[in-house]
Amino acid sequence: MTGAAQAVQDQRLARGEKARKKILDHAMDVASREGLEGLTIGRLASELDMSKSGLFAHFGSKEDL
């Protein structure tokens, strides 16, 4: 892999990690206030301005989250 390709891949991985952290932080906030019953993929997607499939791409399921 060339240096430029590696840099692009590193940036993509960093963005993915940042998105996962944002999702987890928000999920923990919701769950701590309302319990796991208040935590849904649809709600997280809506509140984080993401698609449900985008959330699933990071975690796969609510249980994995």
Side-chain angles (χ1 to χ4, degrees):
M1 186 176 297
T2 67
Q6 183 65 44
V8 169
Q9 183 174 352
D10 290 347
Q11 289 173 350
R12 188 177 59 212
L13 291 173
R15 282 193 312 269
E17 188 59 36
K18 184 178 177 181
R20 282 186 289 280
K21 182 176 179 351
K22 181 180 176 180
I23 294 164
L24 283 172
D25 288 347
H26 191 72
M28 288 174 46
D29 183 53
V30 171
S32 69
R33 285 184 284 116
E34 301 178 27
L36 292 177
E37 310 81 42
L39 187 63
T40 67
I41 294 295
R43 177 181 180 173
L44 288 175
S46 176
E47 292 179 358
L48 293 170
D49 198 29
M50 297 179 73
S51 66
K52 289 181 189 179
S53 62
L55 275 161
F56 277 111
H58 288 287
F59 293 100
S61 70
K62 180 179 169 181
E63 290 76 22
D64 290 341
L65 173 65

